Amino acid sequence: MSQQPIIEMKGIVKTYNVGQPNELEILHGVDLTVYPGEFVAIVGESGSGKSTLMNIIGALDRPTKGSYILDGLDIAQAGDKELSRIRNQKIGFVFQTFNLIARTSALKNVELPMLYAGIGAKERTQRARELLHLVQMDQREKHQPNELSGGQKQRVAIARALANHPSLLLADEPTGALDSATSRTVMDLFHQLHRSGMTIVLITHSQQLAEECSRILTLRDGQFIGERKGAGPSAVI
């Protein structure tokens, strides 16, 4: 692994309603380092601060205090326009709710991040087709989200997340809306991507899914309380 982290967080604090009577601190000085090529699970129960941390990792929100360097870029100092570019080009997001655009084909959904990045139509379409082939959805490229099963939607969402060659794949409860067999397909795809060198952070409440990752961090009450190695893909029974 490279010695230069992709994620380097130090002393991350997130407080809402600062200075108000209802001020609430969710994250209490979180430190997190993730190196290129790692498959890391952040696991915790509801209310542990996972979603807040995910939003900061994904540059969707800013920390109240602390420093965050993402792939060499200082997130805390970045302006809104720069953060938008970082989200588009550095991070691939996979959400529990898929977040696909309705009444838009699978192919066009995958092309969308490349459109925002200013990539030409021919190159967009070619890469989108390659990615749909990677996730075994090339036979469904003309289908709209309402014509796809949950697992198919998530595979399209993963293809879309990979569109701009991100440094980091950030998956937030990616199997939460799927049955066990479909969840297995999605996790197998993550392992395939990890073997190809992709850095993945999986945010989950599932200890079983976390066990498949190479490193497991446990979040409770806005702080990491433990770190251990996972079994990796061998955890799959």
Side-chain angles (χ1 to χ4, degrees):
M1 287 187 299
S2 166
Q3 293 306 301
Q4 181 69 34
I6 279 189
I7 293 173
E8 190 167 16
M9 290 183 160
K10 293 181 179 177
I12 294 294
V13 172
K14 183 60 183 180
T15 307
Y16 293 98
N17 306 316
V18 176
Q20 303 297 316
N22 58 340
E23 179 174 307
L24 180 64
E25 187 175 287
I26 302 295
L27 299 177
H28 315 296
V30 170
D31 296 335
L32 173 64
T33 304
V34 176
Y35 288 93
E38 281 200 285
F39 191 171
V40 176
I42 296 174
V43 66
E45 300 299 327
S46 178
S48 62
K50 294 195 312 296
S51 294
T52 301
L53 182 58
M54 190 279 294
N55 285 336
I56 293 175
I57 293 172
L60 295 164
D61 199 1
R62 299 174 186 270
T64 307
K65 296 179 185 175
S67 67
Y68 175 23
I69 307 298
L70 172 66
D71 202 22
L73 298 171
D74 188 340
I75 297 299
Q77 300 301 317
D80 290 345
K81 190 173 182 180
E82 177 70 358
L83 285 182
S84 179
R85 187 192 68 80
I86 289 166
R87 287 193 298 269
N88 179 252
Q89 298 183 19
K90 293 283 187 182
I91 307 169
F93 293 94
V94 182
F95 296 103
Q96 177 178 343
T97 52
F98 319 124
N99 286 19
L100 298 177
I101 306 299
R103 295 184 294 281
T104 304
S105 70
L107 185 69
K108 293 299 182 186
N109 264 284
V110 177
E111 284 187 32
L112 196 60
M114 294 181 276
L115 177 66
Y116 291 148
I119 295 170
K122 185 176 179 181
E123 185 180 347
R124 286 200 310 267
T125 301
Q126 181 180 344
R127 175 149 177 80
R129 285 190 167 131
E130 289 171 355
L131 289 169
L132 286 172
H133 177 72
L134 175 70
V135 300
Q136 299 180 335
M137 285 295 291
D138 37 348
Q139 302 302 313
R140 299 283 190 276
E141 68 170 45
K142 295 181 180 178
H143 287 59
Q144 297 181 10
N146 65 350
E147 300 172 309
L148 301 173
S149 69
Q152 289 171 335
K153 289 176 189 176
Q154 195 60 295
R155 281 188 276 165
V156 172
I158 292 169
R160 180 188 58 190
L162 298 170
N164 286 331
H165 306 278
S167 305
L168 171 68
L169 194 63
L170 183 58
D172 183 24
E173 300 283 7
T175 65
L178 307 176
D179 61 42
S180 58
T182 311
S183 297
R184 179 73 268 138
T185 300
V186 169
M187 284 301 292
D188 287 345
L189 183 53
F190 283 140
H191 288 304
Q192 177 186 340
L193 293 169
H194 178 232
R195 286 192 298 271
S196 74
M198 176 63 67
T199 307
I200 304 173
V201 173
L202 171 69
I203 297 173
T204 182
H205 70 277
S206 169
Q207 291 286 348
Q208 184 178 355
L209 291 183
E211 195 62 46
E212 296 186 32
C213 302
S214 48
R215 187 156 60 101
I216 304 167
L217 299 164
T218 301
L219 193 67
R220 183 183 297 164
D221 297 329
Q223 293 178 305
F224 285 124
I225 61 165
E227 176 179 339
R228 61 187 176 87
K229 285 187 175 182
S234 61
V236 181
I237 299 174

